[in-house]
Amino acid sequence: MVKIRLMRLGAKKNPHYRIVVVDARKRRNSAYIESLGYYDPRETVAEPLKVNAERAQYWLSQGAQPTDTALKLLERAGVDAGNVDVKRGKAYAARTQAAQAQA
């Protein structure tokens, strides 16, 4: 299975992340298939989140499963990941319940 997840980079207490497509059996910082963008939570750059939306959409259509955090970042970047059918954790359940409560 192929996953879209974050790869941690940076020094101690100064993280930044690369959003990558990787085989699910690989370790967090191992070799990846393709890099889709980056995210800097400390906002030390002018653009803290940059994603190649076209390539992300391609990998989602091919069946890549995003992690919870990667999915949030892709949605924030404007990637339509609404048709992704994955088993997600607490964050997904909370968003789903909030959306149902508003409806």
Side-chain angles (χ1 to χ4, degrees):
M1 175 172 24
V2 177
K3 285 194 161 276
I4 299 175
R5 65 183 182 200
L6 301 181
M7 174 186 221
R8 189 184 192 281
L9 302 167
K12 182 178 177 182
K13 297 187 180 183
N14 185 18
H16 58 279
Y17 300 92
R18 192 174 288 162
I19 302 169
V20 296
V21 178
V22 66
D23 185 356
R25 296 169 292 189
K26 299 275 185 172
R27 292 183 181 202
R28 181 188 71 190
N29 287 347
S30 63
Y32 55 87
I33 300 170
E34 183 176 357
S35 175
L36 300 177
Y38 62 84
Y39 170 60
D40 187 353
R42 300 187 64 190
E43 300 179 3
T44 57
V45 294
E47 193 174 8
L49 174 63
K50 184 174 182 182
V51 176
N52 184 343
E54 183 178 311
R55 292 303 294 169
Q57 193 64 46
Y58 167 77
W59 281 107
L60 289 170
S61 70
Q62 294 298 312
Q65 302 294 310
T67 61
D68 282 346
T69 307
L71 181 61
K72 285 184 211 175
L73 292 174
L74 291 174
E75 288 174 348
R76 190 187 310 176
V79 175
D80 180 29
N83 59 353
V84 175
D85 184 29
V86 295
K87 183 178 176 184
R88 299 184 190 104
K90 296 176 189 174
Y92 177 73
R95 279 188 290 161
T96 305
Q97 289 176 355
Q100 290 174 352
Q102 289 178 354

